[in-house]
Amino acid sequence: MENYKHIDLSYLELMSDGDADMKGILLDMLLTEPSGEFDKMQKLAAEQNWDELKQVSHKMKSTLPYVGFEELTETNKKIDKTLWERQNSGISEETIAQTVSALVNTVTELYTKALPELQDARNNLMNPV
Amino acid sequence: MHENAQFRILLVEDNPGDVRLVEIFLGESDLKDNVIVNEKTLEGAIKALDSATFDVVLLDFNLLDSNGFETLENLLAAHPKANVIVFTGMEDTNFGIRALQAGAQDYLVKGNFSSDYLAKTLRYAIERNRTNRRLEKAQARYKMIFEESKDAIYITTQKGEFVEYNQATLDLFGYTDEEIKSINIRALYNDDNQRLAITKELKEKLFTKDYRIDIRQKDSTVRKCKVTANLVDTDSGEIEYHGIIRDITEQLEAERLREENEKDQLKGQLLTMVSHEMRTPMNAIMGLIDLLPRENLTNEQIGYLDSVKSASQHLLKMINDILELQKIEFNIKLEKGTFDLHDLLMNLINIQYSAAKDVAINIKIDDNVPRFVAGDEKRLNQVLINIVSNAFKFTEKGEVCIGVKMIVPAEDEEGMVRLGFQIEDTGIGIPEDKLPTIFDPFVRVRDGQKKFYEGIGLGLSIVKRIIELMDGDISVSSELDAGSVFSFDVLLEPGDEDSINKINKKINPDLIGINGNHLTETNNGTQAIVIEEELEELSTKKIQILLAEDNKMNQLVTRKQLERTERFEVTIAENGLLATEVLRENEFKLVLMDIQMPVMEGYEATEYIRKELKIPPEVLPILAMTAHADVVDSDKFKTVGMQDCIVKPVDDWAAAIAKIDEWLLPNGEGQKVKVMV
């Protein structure tokens, strides 16, 4: 696969075991599913519904490694970690709200940057020549 | 004695004047408050002593029914411990001495004593008598200790002749009472230097304590002992040795064994640690070999890969065997649960059956063997797999027979079930010189070309240890080129069928003979029914895994990675609740359980499976699959009934599959046996 500025699909390659069909399915999933999840995260952050946001972010932890965009993966991990440790961290609710909202904005932006590259990878898979 | 204590005095006197005299004298003395009982005859005196205790007896020699010394002798014959003061009219010193020699404590001459003298004589006699009683009791106690002591206690002369000794002395030296009288203790030292050293120490210090010596017994056996002795000057001016010898042979042997055991444990811990460290990379090597694409490789390169894999499997088996032996040696605790013996044996056949070999397999179960028993099914299975797989390994043609029978339990095993197993093959046999050590670690058998069969020879050591833990024993007989017979017995408990919640009845349990694709007769004449399709199914059936996971990508990748091994078939449940519903109706060999899922999360689902569905871990291992790093650290997954944990995202599927294999069939057998139903 091509070298991209943001994404690195070697993990996806490894997990699909050289199976082009599987790569296609995984790329399709990466192109469609996270968008909805990030929208949901934005909404939940605005509502300060930390419990549900925590669940969504946690679920994304095992999805985002397939994108191979380290900054995106790590930012999502920060959201997950902040929310899991929220009650014992001693950090005020206001700070949590600001931090998490900023992080959610960041993951959304990063994912937006990754999208064209994911789309390109998907196109190349369909038209390898 | 307390000053104001009241004495009881028996006055045996038929003369009323003398009786009155004594009463007056005592009334004037400090003994005036004492009890005086008067008897006029010897017969009356003896009766009085029969029925009551007296501190002293004042005895007149001449009574109505007895005269002279006979009076004293007869009274002492009836009451040897009576404290008697003779009360006589004869003023003769010789008479008094004779009375003392006959057993009296003292004597008084009538008309020749004062009030004070009478009181003093009585008091002295009473105190002397009490002192004697105390001495007698003390002597009796020490005599008992002397006689019952397990240590040899003895007195010898300065020359070494035995003067006094207890039974333990005879036991220690091995001589009879008669023999020891003519034995000199010096001859019993095994090392004369020890004897000279101890003698020197005794002469210098007059005592020695816990001196280590070696004693040579009559039959020349040498016992390791400790002696404590004193050199004592006797009243007669002779010197004696008083000694106590303790035999510490067994104690020293126990200490030696304990030290050896500690060293073994240390070696074992080291071995375990090293083996653990080796197992992880070995699993990774094996898994990575599986992951390598083979499409573009030459046959030669594929051959290299197969060799690497085969060598890795061998190494992993060895590592697992070492770890298993260590575990059994030091940490094992047997589980107890009811299981179906028929199912266990049928699964054994399924695993061991190989259509490629011209070897029949037969099972003979006696009619009186209970089908349901309680014990450690996994360990019994381990034993059987080990012996039966050996039987197959060393048998190229013929048959392997597995027999099960009831053995009459011992008296103290009432209510238990002792089963005898016999595994007989027609293989290459075991050389006679190997038979005595076949169950020792690292013993291997060579084939005809003097080449060792694979393995490091730990399997049978593990088997023996497990059987011993089940209160059983194992033996083997063999003839070269004819075959071997392994027989063992184990102690189990009767099982309750109702306590088994999951019985695999896919194969008719009455099927007890498979011979290639043909049928064999069972012991009770039942013809086994098995069709070719079923046998085919046995060799192609895949291990059923249930994946509880809501993330679509994880579902896809996990299924892909497991099914590409061609050993697993994966069923997916979108959440914990669905997983429990699927498990109600279907059998799986293992569950991969995501922790965080909608509707019902992984912990709750696992608890439901264990508590409500009552499926125990030995039947269905559940491995957590989680992206929570703290789950792995906290071990919480174990407390709810999961056995292990795989961290997501999985970047090393080879290691993950190795972990799954470990739980499917512990002890590394999962690597070896690809077909499992």
Side-chain angles (χ1 to χ4, degrees):
Chain A
M1 283 210 178
E2 253 181 76
N3 284 330
Y4 292 103
K5 187 179 173 188
H6 301 300
I7 67 172
D8 175 358
L9 299 178
S10 50
Y11 182 69
L12 183 144
E13 287 266 2
L14 185 68
M15 291 300 121
S16 53
D17 195 28
D19 180 336
D21 288 343
M22 175 127 170
K23 276 184 218 167
I25 295 168
L26 290 175
L27 280 168
D28 283 343
M29 285 179 168
L30 291 178
L31 283 164
T32 54
E33 292 187 6
S35 302
E37 299 300 314
F38 288 133
D39 287 347
K40 202 189 287 177
M41 284 169 75
Q42 290 279 5
K43 184 171 168 283
L44 294 169
E47 292 168 359
Q48 299 195 7
N49 185 345
W50 305 132
D51 283 341
E52 276 196 44
L53 178 56
K54 186 170 68 177
Q55 309 290 338
V56 180
S57 168
H58 184 76
K59 199 51 78 181
M60 294 301 284
K61 263 175 83 179
S62 49
T63 301
L64 293 179
Y66 292 91
V67 180
F69 189 172
E70 197 178 342
E71 197 179 345
L72 173 62
T73 313
E74 290 306 312
T75 308
N76 182 60
K77 275 189 194 168
K78 279 182 197 165
I79 298 171
D80 182 58
K81 191 168 186 291
T82 308
L83 294 177
W84 280 96
E85 293 173 358
R86 181 173 62 93
Q87 279 165 340
N88 300 321
S89 66
I91 302 170
S92 70
E93 278 296 297
E94 193 183 346
T95 308
I96 293 275
Q98 286 170 358
T99 308
V100 171
S101 295
L103 289 169
V104 170
N105 285 337
T106 307
V107 286
T108 311
E109 284 164 19
L110 291 170
Y111 175 67
T112 311
K113 285 180 187 173
L115 264 178
E117 294 182 358
L118 288 169
Q119 188 61 60
D120 185 60
R122 183 70 183 98
N123 292 341
N124 285 345
L125 196 64
M126 284 193 293
N127 307 297
V129 182
Chain B
M1 187 71 208
H2 194 275
E3 199 62 29
N4 297 320
Q6 204 175 42
F7 295 138
R8 285 176 57 79
I9 300 164
L10 177 62
L11 176 57
V12 189
E13 173 62 74
D14 58 354
N15 185 331
D18 288 338
V19 173
R20 184 62 195 141
L21 183 67
V22 169
E23 286 172 348
I24 290 168
F25 274 11
L26 286 178
E28 290 172 352
S29 75
D30 56 356
L31 296 178
K32 61 177 180 275
D33 295 328
N34 292 286
V35 176
I36 300 173
V37 175
N38 176 226
E39 289 293 340
K40 293 183 170 47
T41 61
L42 177 62
E43 189 187 355
I46 290 172
K47 280 182 182 170
L49 286 167
D50 285 342
S51 57
T53 304
F54 291 90
D55 296 294
V56 67
V57 181
L58 271 172
L59 178 67
D60 184 14
F61 264 12
N62 297 314
L63 300 171
L64 295 171
D65 57 352
S66 179
N67 277 300
F69 267 95
E70 275 185 17
T71 308
L72 176 63
E73 286 163 358
N74 288 335
L75 186 128
L76 287 175
H79 290 277
K81 294 192 175 177
N83 184 21
V84 181
I85 296 174
V86 174
F87 193 49
T88 177
M90 289 178 268
E91 196 176 355
D92 180 353
T93 308
N94 288 333
F95 168 82
I97 291 168
R98 204 177 145 203
L100 293 178
Q101 285 170 342
Q105 285 287 327
D106 209 338
Y107 69 97
L108 291 168
V109 179
K110 289 179 184 175
N112 199 19
F113 58 84
S114 63
S115 167
D116 289 344
Y117 188 80
L118 173 63
K120 191 179 80 175
T121 303
L122 282 174
R123 191 180 291 282
Y124 280 13
I126 289 167
E127 284 305 321
R128 195 161 50 241
N129 189 52
R130 286 185 175 169
T131 304
N132 286 342
R133 295 284 91 80
R134 283 198 294 271
L135 274 174
E136 278 172 13
K137 280 184 184 170
Q139 273 183 337
R141 272 204 302 272
Y142 291 124
K143 191 170 182 336
M144 192 270 289
I145 292 168
F146 173 80
E147 284 171 353
E148 298 299 323
S149 169
K150 300 291 177 202
D151 293 336
I153 305 174
Y154 64 90
I155 297 171
T156 68
T157 63
Q158 192 175 12
K159 289 178 183 173
E161 297 143 344
F162 284 95
V163 177
E164 271 190 65
Y165 43 85
N166 62 357
Q167 182 59 41
T169 307
L170 300 174
D171 296 341
L172 174 65
F173 297 126
Y175 290 97
T176 64
D177 194 26
E178 279 304 306
E179 288 169 335
I180 206 157
K181 285 172 183 158
S182 57
I183 298 286
N184 192 303
I185 197 168
R186 292 173 188 173
L188 300 174
Y189 282 83
N190 187 53
D191 180 348
D192 210 41
N193 289 330
Q194 283 181 346
R195 182 184 68 77
L196 292 171
I198 195 172
T199 307
K200 184 169 179 279
E201 186 163 310
L202 274 170
K203 281 182 177 165
E204 286 172 5
K205 298 182 184 170
L206 302 181
F207 74 95
T208 183
K209 188 170 165 51
D210 291 339
Y211 200 96
R212 262 283 291 118
I213 57 169
D214 292 336
I215 290 293
R216 189 171 58 248
Q217 294 179 308
K218 184 183 173 185
D219 64 0
S220 297
T221 305
V222 175
R223 308 290 301 179
K224 296 176 182 2
C225 301
K226 269 188 201 170
V227 61
T228 293
N230 291 302
L231 195 150
V232 178
D233 274 327
T234 64
D235 293 343
S236 58
E238 298 287 326
I239 288 176
E240 286 179 346
Y241 292 111
H242 295 186
I244 302 171
I245 301 179
R246 173 163 292 184
D247 186 343
I248 55 167
T249 312
E250 276 75 26
Q251 182 192 333
L252 291 177
E253 180 61 10
E255 282 169 10
R256 188 185 66 75
L257 287 173
R258 194 176 62 237
E259 280 171 16
E260 272 185 15
N261 193 31
E262 281 170 4
K263 280 182 196 164
D264 281 349
Q265 282 202 20
L266 276 176
K267 276 191 279 184
Q269 282 165 5
L270 180 67
L271 209 55
T272 304
M273 193 178 71
V274 172
S275 303
H276 263 299
E277 291 302 312
M278 286 167 71
R279 183 156 67 171
T280 308
M282 279 313 303
N283 279 325
I285 289 168
M286 288 179 58
L288 288 170
I289 293 167
D290 278 339
L291 284 176
L292 280 175
R294 297 183 169 222
E295 293 81 18
N296 300 322
L297 296 181
T298 64
N299 286 341
E300 193 180 10
Q301 287 168 326
I302 290 172
Y304 292 155
L305 273 183
D306 288 342
S307 297
V308 172
K309 188 169 181 183
S310 166
S312 304
Q313 281 174 334
H314 176 65
L315 277 174
L316 190 63
K317 172 79 170 65
M318 186 172 84
I319 291 165
N320 284 331
D321 275 354
I322 290 171
L323 287 171
E324 178 68 4
L325 185 65
Q326 290 304 318
K327 189 162 80 179
I328 287 171
E329 204 63 49
F330 300 112
N331 298 319
I332 193 173
K333 192 179 166 196
L334 292 180
E335 304 287 332
K336 195 174 88 181
T338 294
F339 60 92
D340 183 338
L341 194 63
H342 289 195
D343 268 4
L344 185 141
L345 293 168
M346 285 314 301
N347 284 334
L348 184 70
I349 291 183
N350 296 338
I351 290 169
Q352 298 300 327
Y353 171 71
S354 166
K357 273 193 168 184
D358 188 15
V359 179
I361 181 166
N362 288 299
I363 297 183
K364 292 175 182 174
I365 308 173
D366 281 359
D367 291 338
N368 61 346
V369 171
R371 178 169 168 176
F372 297 96
V373 285
D376 195 328
E377 179 187 13
K378 206 159 77 174
R379 293 292 173 192
L380 180 60
N381 194 37
Q382 187 181 353
V383 167
L384 285 165
I385 284 179
N386 212 309
I387 300 175
V388 174
S389 66
N390 272 347
F392 268 95
K393 189 160 71 178
F394 297 120
T395 305
E396 290 302 324
K397 200 170 181 180
E399 64 175 359
V400 171
C401 289
I402 304 168
V404 190
K405 63 178 180 180
M406 281 286 277
I407 293 177
V408 179
E411 272 181 21
D412 59 348
E413 296 169 357
E414 199 176 334
M416 305 286 279
V417 177
R418 187 169 282 282
L419 292 185
F421 291 79
Q422 183 168 296
I423 294 95
E424 189 173 359
D425 66 55
T426 53
I428 60 167
I430 302 163
E432 202 177 336
D433 64 321
K434 287 281 181 202
L435 284 175
T437 55
I438 196 77
F439 297 108
D440 292 348
F442 307 109
V443 172
R444 293 189 294 167
V445 175
R446 289 173 193 266
D447 70 4
Q449 283 74 49
K450 304 294 177 196
K451 179 187 150 202
F452 280 119
Y453 274 93
E454 64 175 16
I456 56 168
L458 283 177
L460 288 177
S461 305
I462 293 170
V463 160
K464 183 174 167 54
R465 183 74 187 114
I466 293 172
I467 289 170
E468 285 170 351
L469 287 167
M470 293 181 169
D471 288 324
D473 202 3
I474 184 166
S475 62
V476 61
S477 62
S478 187
E479 190 180 334
L480 267 184
D481 300 322
S484 306
V485 182
F486 282 82
S487 307
F488 70 90
D489 61 283
V490 290
L491 191 65
L492 301 165
E493 288 180 26
D496 171 15
E497 182 179 359
D498 295 339
S499 64
I500 300 184
N501 56 49
K502 199 160 178 273
I503 303 172
N504 182 354
K505 291 191 188 298
K506 282 183 179 169
I507 298 168
N508 181 355
D510 294 331
L511 160 63
I512 48 178
I514 301 175
N515 182 356
N517 286 345
H518 306 288
L519 311 176
T520 57
E521 290 285 323
T522 65
N523 64 323
N524 57 9
T526 309
Q527 189 127 52
I529 301 166
V530 60
I531 57 174
E532 289 184 17
E533 287 76 10
E534 282 176 326
L535 285 173
E536 181 65 23
E537 194 189 344
L538 290 182
S539 59
T540 57
K541 198 161 183 181
K542 291 180 177 170
I543 300 167
Q544 297 297 312
I545 306 269
L546 176 63
L547 171 66
E549 168 68 81
D550 64 321
N551 183 306
K552 292 278 187 297
M553 294 187 81
N554 289 337
Q555 291 174 359
L556 197 67
V557 171
T558 304
R559 169 178 269 163
K560 170 85 179 170
Q561 291 293 335
L562 291 179
E563 291 190 346
R564 72 187 291 274
T565 63
E566 297 182 2
R567 296 164 49 208
F568 303 109
E569 193 167 350
V570 178
T571 301
I572 291 169
E574 293 276 347
N575 58 55
L577 184 63
L578 285 173
T580 60
E581 284 170 9
V582 169
L583 280 168
R584 269 185 207 283
E585 304 297 327
N586 301 279
E587 283 183 10
F588 291 89
K589 290 293 174 191
L590 183 137
V591 176
L592 293 172
M593 181 76 79
D594 184 20
I595 300 289
Q596 188 185 303
M597 288 182 288
V599 188
M600 183 188 277
E601 47 88 47
Y603 289 144
E604 192 184 346
T606 303
E607 284 187 313
Y608 189 87
I609 292 164
R610 298 292 183 230
K611 289 178 184 166
E612 302 301 323
L613 299 183
K614 297 190 177 3
I615 306 177
E618 55 270 26
V619 173
L620 184 72
I622 301 176
L623 309 193
M625 282 196 86
T626 179
H628 289 288
D630 59 333
V631 168
V632 188
D633 297 335
S634 71
D635 272 7
K636 184 188 171 185
F637 65 92
K638 287 184 183 166
T639 62
V640 298
M642 295 174 174
Q643 279 59 63
D644 212 331
C645 180
I646 293 172
V647 180
K648 291 191 296 190
V650 180
D651 50 10
D652 184 354
W653 272 102
I657 289 170
K659 189 172 272 189
I660 290 169
D661 273 335
E662 260 178 58
W663 285 103
L664 282 171
L665 266 180
N667 321 321
E669 293 294 337
Q671 299 292 340
K672 187 177 143 194
V673 181
K674 293 285 173 112
V675 179
M676 185 183 159
V677 292

